[in-house]
Amino acid sequence: MADGGQVGYLGVARSLSGRVWRQRPADPQDVQAHQRQLGLSEPLARALASRGIAAGEGETYLNPTLKAQFPDPSSFMDMDRAASALVDALERGRRMYVFADYDVDGASSSALLVRWFRAMGADLPIYVPDRMTEGYGPSAAAFRRMKDEGAELVVTVDCGAAAHDAIAAATEMGLEVVVVDHHLMKAEPPACTAVVNPNRPGCASGQGNLAAAGVAFVLLAALNRECRRRGLFADRPEPDLRKWLDLAALGAVCDVTRLTGFNRALASQGLRIMSAWENPGIKALMEVAAAKGPATSFHAGFILGPRINAGGRIGRSDLGARLLSTDDPAEALELARELDELNAARKDVERDVLEAAVAQVERGSNVGPEGPVVVVAGEGWHPGVIGIVAGRLRERWRKPVIVIGLDPVNGTGKGSGRSQPGVNLGQAVQAAYDEGLLMAGGGHAMAAGLTIRARDVPEFRAFLESRLAEEQAEAAALDAVEIDAALTPRSADRDLWAAFDRLNPFGPGNPEPVFALAQVRVEQPMAMKGGHLRCTLVDADGTKLRAVAWRVADTALGQRLMAGGALHVVGKLKPDDWNGRQGVQFEIEDAADPRMCG
């Protein structure tokens, strides 16, 4: 039985972000077992137990292996059928295409398939729809283009599970379709050869937390098995799937999937493979970003991911997939440079849309942040950045946010949403579609996409406010800063960081450890470009700790930090290797005035 954690940690019932602080709850018996069995300190053992790791499971969690956790591919509905169809096409020399979504998960998934078929001596062209002109997912027009170019079979990755009409059109024109997806879907799948999706109703795999790249990686194992069964490796080597684990990890991290079970092993082992930087595209992207390894979830999510996504957001949609699938270092470098430039341009576009959205919400009586959900729409907002902006606003207001870019010419809008833990936004958007309020819509618990008629935005907002009111109220009541351990500027050293870093890779289902420092003085606060802030945290005996707070300039936290003085602070401990110092710094995420605490 978990101890429930200490609510009002350090007496903080309401921080500068408006949240209560509490110690992350953990089962005391599991804490003791981890200490005894693994030789861990009490804080680290508690952190492990608080992530749901029971006694006896700690070794597997700290050292995840694919051998121990790889699922049987046949446990996925339609997996064997998909593998059989693809190997049939390979043996018969049928022309195949892979149709991919334009984000990192789609690019990673398509690159996995391209590389497997290349190893088997076959070419697999990639088709990625243009975000601006074709929208999300398969369409009859896209299938027609591939058909006209000689396609006989199309594999859709990271999309397709909800494309009933488009796939029906593909079937009518004589195309065979295999769907590899992970998004929520209705009970009735599209009518095609196979629909492999761990979130398909009735699928017994238990792998619903996988990104599409993870599903694609399991498909490669099924393809190897099917080829082995047919004796196709008698005169050629079996493709070594391990060398492509970096692509599976990239999709898992960048699609913000729950890093638990097999998916955690996939991400952990994939980041190790990535650290060798043998994929020419990934290596080139690291070079142009002036970043260095070994690879971590930070590299994947904040250095590689945004640049790979930039092509689909404001450039050519297929750039990311081409980058990850090429074996030509020169081509990889050219693509990486183009993506890096697009990412810089994307930041400018994102900033403009974010400022406009914030201004609209703060001055609009019917779109303010007081309700259970924020739905904001504006003409000309680039559809390639609305998802990022929605995420930024969700962080700011701590509730679901949907940002819609309206096209005044055709009277429609493209929307993207990000949710708060405990609020299933994808389900709500699907319900709005079923009610006829949307032209298209779907997603998963934490993110959703939609197409809407501009005139329907107010009614859609009202629908979500009514539907999500209860969920959001419950989520808000549970919204707390969960703290793993207390530390001091003196105890915050490289050894402590390394000890807790054993919990890596971090992400949903395995949050990065959060630490609290009590009664520290904020000295030498300095505003930086981008709304960031640097300062020094000093304890009673004068020990200092370098600290930084990201994007806080216009928040209560940023204003209080700039004022200096005594504070309780919470945040994350990070390595600080600037100029070879091998130290640490503290990333401040929240703070509270000790004078206001009980």
Side-chain angles (χ1 to χ4, degrees):
M1 186 79 176
D3 62 10
Q6 179 186 341
V7 179
Y9 195 78
L10 298 180
V12 179
R14 185 175 178 81
S15 69
L16 289 171
S17 70
R19 292 176 286 172
V20 64
W21 290 2
R22 71 167 183 169
Q23 188 173 36
R24 207 181 295 277
D27 188 318
Q29 292 183 342
D30 288 336
V31 175
Q32 294 172 11
H34 293 324
Q35 286 182 270
R36 184 176 61 254
Q37 296 167 2
L38 303 172
L40 304 180
S41 66
E42 192 279 339
L44 183 55
R46 182 184 176 88
L48 194 62
S50 72
R51 283 152 179 78
I53 310 306
E57 299 176 352
E59 178 61 32
T60 299
Y61 194 82
L62 293 176
N63 300 290
T65 64
L66 293 177
K67 182 178 181 180
Q69 297 181 287
F70 206 101
D72 178 1
S74 298
S75 66
F76 290 73
M77 191 178 292
D78 277 4
M79 182 68 83
D80 292 340
R81 187 180 299 175
S84 179
L86 292 175
V87 175
D88 279 346
L90 177 68
E91 286 194 286
R92 297 173 187 174
R94 299 177 69 198
R95 179 73 162 163
M96 291 177 279
Y97 269 69
V98 58
F99 181 102
D101 188 20
Y102 32 63
D103 68 359
V104 177
D105 196 20
S108 301
S109 303
S110 60
L112 282 167
L113 287 171
V114 168
R115 289 185 174 280
W116 187 88
F117 276 96
R118 183 182 296 151
M120 295 298 293
D123 177 46
L124 187 65
I126 301 173
Y127 187 106
V128 183
D130 182 88
R131 182 190 292 264
M132 298 293 291
T133 61
E134 297 178 82
Y136 168 80
S139 65
F143 280 126
R144 171 56 64 187
R145 291 189 190 96
M146 288 182 281
K147 174 71 173 177
D148 291 344
E149 292 174 6
E152 298 174 78
L153 184 151
V154 176
V155 187
T156 71
V157 292
D158 196 27
C159 59
H164 291 74
D165 293 343
I167 289 176
T171 301
E172 289 180 7
M173 63 182 74
L175 273 176
E176 187 175 1
V177 179
V178 170
V179 173
V180 178
D181 203 349
H182 72 126
H183 292 96
L184 297 177
M185 58 180 289
K186 296 181 179 179
E188 192 63 33
C192 57
T193 296
V195 177
V196 183
N197 184 343
N199 287 306
R200 174 180 175 178
C203 181
S205 69
Q207 301 296 329
N209 59 332
L210 289 179
V215 183
F217 191 82
V218 177
L219 173 59
L220 299 194
L223 290 171
N224 269 5
R225 186 175 65 180
E226 180 65 15
C227 288
R228 204 179 304 123
R229 186 183 70 80
R230 299 190 190 193
L232 297 185
F233 297 135
D235 58 355
R236 72 164 62 244
E238 181 172 328
D240 182 1
L241 306 186
R242 292 172 299 178
K243 63 184 180 181
W244 302 324
L245 277 166
D246 51 358
L247 296 171
L250 195 58
V253 173
C254 292
D255 223 51
V256 201
T257 58
R258 287 184 62 81
L259 299 181
T260 58
F262 167 61
N263 199 37
R264 172 175 167 79
L266 203 62
S268 178
Q269 297 301 317
L271 289 171
R272 289 186 184 182
I273 296 297
M274 189 184 295
S275 294
W277 310 115
E278 292 185 354
N279 181 296
I282 294 176
K283 180 180 180 181
L285 208 51
M286 286 289 286
E287 289 176 358
V288 300
K292 299 179 180 179
T296 65
S297 52
F298 175 81
H299 289 95
F302 295 95
I303 295 176
L304 298 171
R307 288 169 171 80
I308 294 170
N309 269 332
R313 294 191 187 283
I314 63 171
R316 296 204 315 264
S317 57
D318 65 345
L319 292 178
R322 287 171 55 199
L323 177 84
L324 297 179
S325 58
T326 185
D327 285 325
D328 181 350
E331 180 186 21
L333 186 58
E334 181 181 349
L335 290 169
R337 286 171 175 163
E338 184 173 358
L339 285 168
D340 190 55
E341 292 172 359
L342 287 170
N343 188 54
R346 184 270 306 169
K347 291 180 181 179
D348 293 337
V349 175
E350 174 195 329
R351 183 189 62 248
D352 292 344
V353 174
L354 178 62
E355 291 175 354
V358 169
Q360 185 181 125
V361 171
E362 291 182 341
R363 71 168 180 263
S365 60
N366 67 331
V367 295
E370 298 79 15
V373 59
V374 173
V375 179
V376 60
E379 291 187 356
W381 290 357
H382 199 294
V385 302
I386 54 176
I388 303 175
V389 172
R392 296 274 189 258
L393 297 181
R394 187 211 66 82
E395 292 173 5
R396 184 185 185 110
W397 289 309
R398 306 201 62 76
K399 61 184 59 182
V401 174
I402 291 179
V403 178
I404 302 170
L406 299 174
D407 185 340
V409 176
N410 59 27
T412 65
K414 297 286 186 181
S416 186
R418 297 294 182 269
S419 193
Q420 188 73 356
V423 182
N424 193 326
L425 185 59
Q427 197 173 71
V429 167
Q430 181 65 54
Y433 172 74
D434 293 341
E435 288 289 321
L437 295 174
L438 301 174
M439 300 166 66
H444 49 80
M446 295 299 292
L450 58 92
T451 303
I452 188 171
R453 288 172 287 271
R455 66 175 183 272
D456 291 334
V457 171
E459 188 177 355
F460 172 59
R461 180 187 296 114
F463 175 87
L464 288 185
E465 287 179 342
S466 174
R467 183 180 177 90
L468 296 178
E470 185 174 342
E471 270 187 78
Q472 174 58 23
E474 293 175 357
L478 297 173
D479 187 20
V481 178
E482 295 201 312
I483 298 164
D484 288 283
L487 50 76
T488 65
R490 184 176 296 279
S491 65
D493 58 21
R494 192 72 171 208
D495 289 341
L496 181 71
W497 168 79
F500 277 85
D501 195 56
R502 294 180 64 189
L503 299 175
N504 236 321
F506 301 120
N510 181 35
E512 188 171 353
V514 173
F515 301 96
L517 290 92
Q519 291 281 4
V520 290
R521 293 195 319 277
V522 178
E523 296 185 354
Q524 299 176 314
M526 180 178 66
M528 300 189 299
K529 184 179 180 181
H532 313 313
L533 180 150
R534 282 202 177 278
C535 64
T536 301
L537 303 177
V538 185
D539 66 10
D541 66 5
T543 304
K544 298 181 178 182
L545 176 63
R546 292 164 56 89
V548 63
W550 306 116
R551 294 191 299 273
V552 297
D554 60 348
T555 68
L557 173 60
Q559 293 162 10
R560 183 64 181 81
L561 289 172
M562 285 300 296
L567 285 175
H568 297 326
V569 299
V570 294
K572 297 168 182 174
L573 198 61
K574 298 284 190 176
D576 181 7
D577 298 331
W578 181 253
N579 285 337
R581 65 167 54 101
Q582 290 289 297
V584 293
Q585 72 172 4
F586 195 76
E587 289 189 355
I588 301 172
E589 297 194 348
D590 200 5
D593 190 327
R595 297 170 298 180
M596 307 298 291
C597 300

